[in-house]
């Protein structure tokens, strides 16, 4: 449908907890379409609705840059069923342009969500897909990857973060 502006760190909407949606509602279909367009234009691996200012429990992930067989997938009203292990991977976030940091998260996740047909599906993921799912899920809870950095890392990034939050 349309590309939308991405909300940057400092905007209080990123701290809001998103609310469930009706997966088959035409508004949800439009939202997913906008999210995919915006994510592709920004060359991101994932984008949550709150990052375009809509506090609904919807996100998209696109791992086609890493694996051509993958296509963008919408996760509607997702739930974490289980997590396992622990791994440190470098992450970025479209709401934190220019900031990349190693973050520790579970190595594996089982996530359940709805698609646009209102059908429930379950994904078991490791590697970058697990990382993208866990990162985007955090957005629905108003959590940001800076919250998962060590106090030392946050202190080192203080200048960059301040610049971002003042620009938004
Ligand atoms: Zn993010």
């Amino acid at each position: 449908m349309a590309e939308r502006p991405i909300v940057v760190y400092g905007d209080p909407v990123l701290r809001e907890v998103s609310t469930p949606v009706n997966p088959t509602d035409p508004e949800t279909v439009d939202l997913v379409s906008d999210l995919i367009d915006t994510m592709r234009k920004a060359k991101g691996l994932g984008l949550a609705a709150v990052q375009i200012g809509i506090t609904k429990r919807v996100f998209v992930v696109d791992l086609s840059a890493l694996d051509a067989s993958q296509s963008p997938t919408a996760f509607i009203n997702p739930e974490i069923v289980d997590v396992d292990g622990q791994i440190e991977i470098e992450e970025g976030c479209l709401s934190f342009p220019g900031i990349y940091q190693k973050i520790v998260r579970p190595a594996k996740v089982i996530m359940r969500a709805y698609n646009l047909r209102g059908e429930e599906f379950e994904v078991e993921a490791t590697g970058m897909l697990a990382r993208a799912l866990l990162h985007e899920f955090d957005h629905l809870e108003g959590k940001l990857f800076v919250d998962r950095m060590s106090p030392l890392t946050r202190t080192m990034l203080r200048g960059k973060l301040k610049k971002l939050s003042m620009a938004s």
Side-chain angles (χ1 to χ4, degrees), residues 59-118:
F59 66 73
V60 295
V61 293
D62 180 11
L63 297 178
S64 60
L66 302 168
D67 176 356
S69 70
Q70 303 268 2
S71 54
T73 306
F75 288 74
I76 301 168
N77 303 335
E79 275 176 72
I80 293 175
V81 179
D82 200 15
V83 291
D84 195 26
Q86 223 184 35
I87 189 168
E88 192 178 51
I89 300 181
E90 190 177 74
E91 275 183 39
C93 178
L94 292 175
S95 295
F96 291 79
I99 294 181
Y100 299 89
Q101 275 301 320
K102 285 184 173 171
I103 309 279
V104 177
R105 294 189 192 263
K108 180 179 148 185
V109 60
I110 299 175
M111 195 171 277
R112 191 181 291 154
Y114 289 87
N115 62 23
L116 286 170
R117 292 184 298 275

